[in-house]
Amino acid sequence: MNPPRVKLRHLLIRPPQLRVLEDNLERKASWLELFFDLVFVIAISQLTHLLIDHPGLYSLGLILTLFIPIWVGWQGYTVYADRFDTDDLIFRSMVFCGMLGVTAMAVQFTDVYKGDTAGFALAYIAMRTFTILLNLWAWWHVPAARPLVGRYALGYTVSIALWGASLLLEGWPRYALWGLGLTLDLALPLFNINLTKHLPLHASHIAERFGLFTVIVLGEGILAVAQGIDRKDWVL
């Protein structure tokens, strides 16, 4: 294999590596991460519009519930990128596939409100599947990370298996399996806190990422309130 071809392959495919070990200085969010956040802006915007179009306690409870899988999906990609992002073709492809999954979830919110939840579940499963593939990619290339990412990949797999099984059920049993899957996702960091100490996150980068997501949520929330007020006829 000639040197130009080797160089091209290195640019396209660079195996995951622990970023915190090589980025000793302050690290900023990449352009891909910012673009990734914009997709979640769309999803959160669709959630807030659900409340605007159908005001009431039921809609409020529904959007708070649907926000949880959106949050779980976002943090799964974000934490992986903080530890292992090499910005190669494989990582970008997986992230873009995850974006498509989030977009598919966003367009299903109205259907979920009407009681048709199968499409939302399938979109969530698709999005999380690519998170699992990324963690398996890191497991293969970063031996030091195998104890942690192996458990994450297993936990995520069990979670989406519960979501898949929920498609065989209707009504509250389906939502119960969703809840079990999400609870497992959220509990994984607590179950593996000792392993996490050996694979620390990049302090400046992860703080910026969570800060940006918080700004997105607050901004969309304020916008929803403003739009809701604008639709009311105020009489003095």
Side-chain angles (χ1 to χ4, degrees), residues 156-236:
Y156 295 161
T157 301
V158 173
S159 175
I160 65 171
L162 291 171
W163 278 70
S166 75
L167 296 173
L168 303 176
L169 305 173
E170 296 288 344
W172 70 263
R174 175 175 292 182
Y175 300 130
L177 288 181
W178 289 12
L180 286 175
L182 292 172
T183 300
L184 176 59
D185 284 325
L186 294 171
L188 280 173
L190 297 177
F191 290 155
N192 299 287
I193 192 168
N194 290 329
L195 293 175
T196 304
K197 294 178 181 178
H198 300 290
L199 293 173
L201 296 170
H202 199 292
S204 63
H205 177 256
I206 201 67
E208 180 186 27
R209 300 296 294 120
F210 276 78
L212 287 173
F213 189 81
T214 302
V215 169
I216 289 171
V217 174
L218 291 176
E220 287 297 328
I222 293 173
L223 179 61
V225 171
Q227 290 178 337
I229 293 175
D230 184 59
R231 292 191 180 188
K232 293 292 184 180
D233 294 326
W234 297 93
V235 179
L236 298 178

Side-chain angles (χ1 to χ4, degrees), residues 44-92:
I44 296 171
S45 176
Q46 289 294 103
L47 271 181
T48 56
H49 275 85
L50 186 65
L51 182 60
I52 294 172
D53 295 334
H54 307 282
L57 292 178
Y58 173 75
S59 295
L60 179 60
L62 184 62
I63 67 171
L64 292 176
T65 301
L66 294 178
F67 175 77
I68 297 175
I70 293 294
W71 159 254
V72 167
W74 179 87
Q75 63 87 24
Y77 283 94
T78 298
V79 171
Y80 174 89
D82 184 84
R83 286 196 175 105
F84 304 111
D85 175 19
T86 50
D87 198 29
D88 67 330
L89 181 61
I90 291 179
F91 176 75
R92 291 188 178 194

Side-chain angles (χ1 to χ4, degrees), residues 132-150:
I132 294 171
L133 293 175
L134 281 172
N135 278 275
L136 291 175
W137 184 239
W139 183 90
W140 180 263
H141 288 284
V142 187
R146 286 178 181 175
L148 180 61
V149 296

